[in-house]
Amino acid sequence: MTEFLLAVWSYEFLQNALIGGLLASIGCGIIGSYVVVKRIGYLAGGVSHSVLGGMGVAFFFGMSPLGGALVAAVASALLLGWVRLTWQEQEDTLIGALWAVGMAIGILFISRTPGYSVNLMSYLFGNILMVDSAGIWMMAGIDLLILGTVALCYQQLLAVAFDEEFARLRGLPVTFYYLLLLCMVAVTVVLLIQVVGLILVIALLTLPAAIAAHYVQSLGRMMLLATLLGMLFTVVGLAIAYRPDLPAGATIILVAGVSYLVSLFASNFRKRLKLERQQMRSV
Amino acid sequence: MSGGPVISLEDVSFSYGGPRVLDRVSLEVEAFEFLGVVGPNAGGKSTLLKLILGLLEPGSGRVRVLGMPPERGCRQIGYVPQYPLFSRDFPITVEQTVLMGRLGSPRLFGGYRRQDREVARRAMAETEVQDLASRQLRTLSGGQLQRVLMARALATEPRILILDEPTANIDMRVETEIFDLLKQLNDRMTIVVVSHDVGFISGYVDRVACLNRTLVCHPTAAIDGEAIRSLYAADVRMVEHLHH
């Protein structure tokens, strides 16, 4: 651990990685909480995988892969939102289709790109050590956008996440807020791709929030705790990965996954204990 | 606006793609009426409510709420659903849930104001859940949740209150309490309540609408075995309830 801290002190790429991880945790804590309470994890998975299509096309035409990712993420989020609002029955088939078709497009374009030098692995599994200062500014910008939107529309987004039917009866533009939420999921996916890659995004989006859900009493606190947990996981993951030179994204996800399992067992155990105590008292 | 029916359906038919769930239903609800809607399962009761709320569009016929199309009229309606769509383990308190009744136009974003909290507090007091204000929704019993949903509906300061099977999963004592409360609320708003229990509600409501694809209205006094038999197409034992 001390070795890692010393390395952070002296190497700029590690500092960038650390800052990138912390910034990504903010978006992932806030939007991940919505994904967990609204139970749209599968939809978020579809969006994150279809992003490879946008990255491949952008790379083929010599444009910024992250720009392509952003366009693809927002486009597929809007498409899926529209599908859900119009033909509810076929939602999961269409998510699955978009998931696979997006990746297929990406792989085709990448394979056709002259001078096959793209590190496909770094898109799929991320490479937090490659985060540069431009990436950091972009992440900070996305965080500000998310924070601003949620601060302005917290109650409305809460109502739409909680009970769409009631929100609609109150005259809230439910479709607008729902699509807004999906667009924020999309930009968060792009934010996280740089840290853990598009295959592992879904874990970092849902695990911290799912752990937080075991302990908190409100969506706001869930966001806060999930953000702190995300930060903890990225820092610990990076530190563990540093010395044996393990892939950082995968290590971060494993730290999050193990923590989730531990928390799940602990909270179930706590619940059982409480129940037993109640039964003891009532006897 | 004054004088006319607060809810009117003219020749409304509806189907979910198959056979008609509602067949040429006409109904007028007067201001400050207490209307019970009864009928067998799948008789179209919830569909009727959704048409009034503007959540469904009629296949043919016309629905008006306070003289407006239901998409606009629904903002004057407090709605208590039978099966709320939210998950019971959503991290939210009773007060936050009730406050959602304050959302909507003209304010489309931003937080709640002091007046909103005051209205929500009064609604919670009225349904006797003010002591539960800071409790998590997941810790409530069925009866408590029902009162919270009623408080959320009252927080909208509605002119019409619509309840779908408000006492379906609740014991008899609480059922009586809830209907006594509805009777009080009836002094200042129109109430439409859907129930499968015609015998119980006939002690409270002014008029019963019997719905089984088609709709027949009876003044409460005229509910007898014949009317119930024709509705359910089977012999039903009627139990006399003596309220009040």
Side-chain angles (χ1 to χ4, degrees):
Chain A
M1 194 69 199
T2 35
E3 192 183 358
F4 172 70
L5 289 177
L6 281 174
V8 169
W9 188 256
S10 34
Y11 298 118
E12 199 189 332
F13 74 96
L14 264 186
Q15 289 164 13
N16 282 345
L18 207 56
I19 296 170
L22 295 179
L23 285 174
S25 303
I26 297 174
C28 114
I30 295 172
I31 299 305
S33 297
Y34 284 116
V35 170
V36 167
V37 296
K38 187 107 182 99
R39 300 188 176 167
I40 49 173
Y42 186 53
L43 195 151
V47 170
S48 64
H49 285 75
S50 69
V51 153
L52 190 67
M55 290 180 121
V57 171
F59 196 78
F60 181 78
F61 290 107
M63 294 180 289
S64 147
L66 275 181
L70 199 59
V71 172
V74 172
S76 58
L78 289 175
L79 181 67
L80 287 177
W82 175 67
V83 161
R84 175 175 173 272
L85 294 167
T86 37
W87 315 292
Q88 208 147 17
E89 312 80 70
Q90 285 151 42
E91 190 185 358
D92 45 307
T93 316
L94 282 158
I95 291 175
L98 193 71
W99 184 309
V101 168
M103 294 202 80
I105 292 173
I107 289 168
L108 277 185
F109 272 91
I110 289 170
S111 77
R112 282 290 146 197
T113 302
Y116 187 78
S117 62
V118 187
N119 193 348
L120 186 63
M121 289 288 276
S122 82
Y123 291 157
L124 295 182
F125 300 103
N127 196 345
I128 194 172
L129 300 179
M130 299 279 277
V131 173
D132 54 14
S133 58
I136 284 183
W137 281 113
M138 179 180 164
M139 290 167 122
I142 291 177
D143 275 340
L144 274 181
L145 198 72
I146 290 171
L147 277 170
T149 311
V150 171
L152 200 63
C153 311
Y154 177 79
Q155 300 296 352
Q156 287 73 14
L157 287 168
L158 177 68
V160 171
F162 179 66
D163 189 342
E164 272 180 44
E165 184 180 82
F166 190 81
R168 197 178 293 279
L169 291 177
R170 293 320 307 143
L172 279 191
V174 170
T175 306
F176 168 77
Y177 282 115
Y178 182 68
L179 293 178
L180 179 69
L181 185 61
L182 293 191
C183 286
M184 288 199 292
V185 170
V187 296
T188 308
V189 162
V190 177
L191 179 75
L192 294 177
I193 278 177
Q194 302 176 66
V195 179
V196 290
L198 57 92
I199 290 185
L200 304 180
V201 155
I202 195 63
L204 201 52
L205 199 56
T206 52
L207 290 177
I211 297 173
H214 295 153
Y215 305 99
V216 295
Q217 313 279 315
S218 76
L219 187 62
R221 281 184 215 164
M222 188 169 167
M223 291 171 174
L224 185 67
L225 184 56
T227 300
L228 295 175
L229 285 169
M231 289 177 168
L232 183 72
F233 297 153
T234 34
V235 173
V236 170
L238 262 180
I240 293 176
Y242 176 69
R243 199 175 138 75
D245 195 21
L246 298 169
T251 314
I252 292 169
I253 296 301
L254 277 179
V255 170
V258 169
S259 309
Y260 174 72
L261 285 180
V262 169
S263 171
L264 189 65
F265 285 124
S267 71
N268 274 346
F269 183 69
R270 215 171 44 151
K271 248 184 241 162
R272 246 204 352 244
L273 217 63
K274 212 164 136 189
L275 209 69
E276 270 168 26
R277 249 184 250 143
Q278 271 169 5
Q279 280 164 351
M280 291 279 278
R281 231 177 285 149
S282 63
V283 167
Chain B
M1 186 53 251
S2 60
V6 292
I7 300 171
S8 82
L9 284 83
E10 288 168 34
D11 262 340
V12 170
S13 298
F14 183 85
S15 86
Y16 289 100
R20 282 185 174 183
V21 185
L22 296 179
D23 191 15
R24 305 198 52 163
V25 167
S26 292
L27 173 69
E28 293 203 338
V29 184
E30 301 301 324
F32 302 105
E33 191 175 356
F34 193 155
L35 176 76
V37 181
V38 300
N41 286 332
K45 295 179 305 239
S46 296
T47 305
L48 182 80
L49 293 193
K50 288 196 168 146
L51 286 163
I52 294 172
L53 292 163
L55 294 170
L56 294 174
E57 295 236 345
S60 64
R62 202 172 80 130
V63 182
R64 283 288 175 276
V65 174
L66 299 163
M68 292 179 273
E71 306 82 62
R72 283 199 289 135
C74 72
R75 291 179 207 170
Q76 310 283 332
I77 300 178
Y79 173 52
V80 182
Q82 180 184 8
Y83 303 109
L85 296 176
F86 50 83
S87 69
R88 279 296 295 274
D89 52 7
F90 199 103
I92 191 169
T93 63
V94 166
E95 187 184 20
Q96 278 285 323
T97 309
V98 175
L99 270 169
M100 282 185 191
R102 302 304 303 159
L103 284 172
S105 52
R107 258 173 314 123
L108 293 181
F109 52 83
Y112 298 113
R113 301 185 184 168
R114 197 163 51 187
Q115 192 212 343
D116 295 326
R117 291 179 194 283
E118 181 54 31
V119 173
R121 198 194 54 74
R122 252 184 288 141
M124 285 189 283
E126 204 150 27
T127 61
E128 294 169 23
V129 291
Q130 70 274 44
D131 297 338
L132 306 174
S134 57
R135 281 268 293 276
Q136 285 285 296
L137 218 52
R138 69 185 132 208
T139 66
L140 301 184
S141 71
Q144 288 169 330
L145 180 65
Q146 197 60 44
R147 287 168 181 278
V148 169
L149 293 179
M150 284 176 68
R152 178 177 74 163
L154 289 176
T156 66
E157 302 191 300
R159 290 173 61 183
I160 306 167
L161 188 62
I162 293 186
L163 305 96
D164 194 355
E165 298 277 6
T167 54
N169 305 308
I170 291 177
D171 64 52
M172 190 68 193
R173 187 181 54 81
V174 184
E175 185 172 11
T176 310
E177 285 173 14
I178 284 183
F179 272 87
D180 287 341
L181 173 62
L182 290 179
K183 198 77 196 167
Q184 277 175 35
L185 293 170
N186 190 213
D187 290 342
R188 55 175 218 260
M189 60 188 79
T190 310
I191 294 181
V192 177
V193 57
V194 161
S195 175
H196 59 278
D197 187 354
V198 58
F200 180 81
I201 66 166
S202 60
Y204 290 92
V205 298
D206 306 324
R207 192 162 59 123
V208 173
C210 299
L211 185 65
N212 188 6
R213 203 165 61 85
T214 55
L215 185 137
V216 185
C217 278
H218 304 275
T220 320
I223 297 281
D224 57 12
E226 192 53 49
I228 295 175
R229 249 194 309 283
S230 72
L231 174 64
Y232 287 88
D235 270 331
V236 180
R237 234 171 353 119
M238 202 152 131
V239 182
E240 191 82 17
H241 290 280
L242 292 174
H243 298 292
H244 310 301

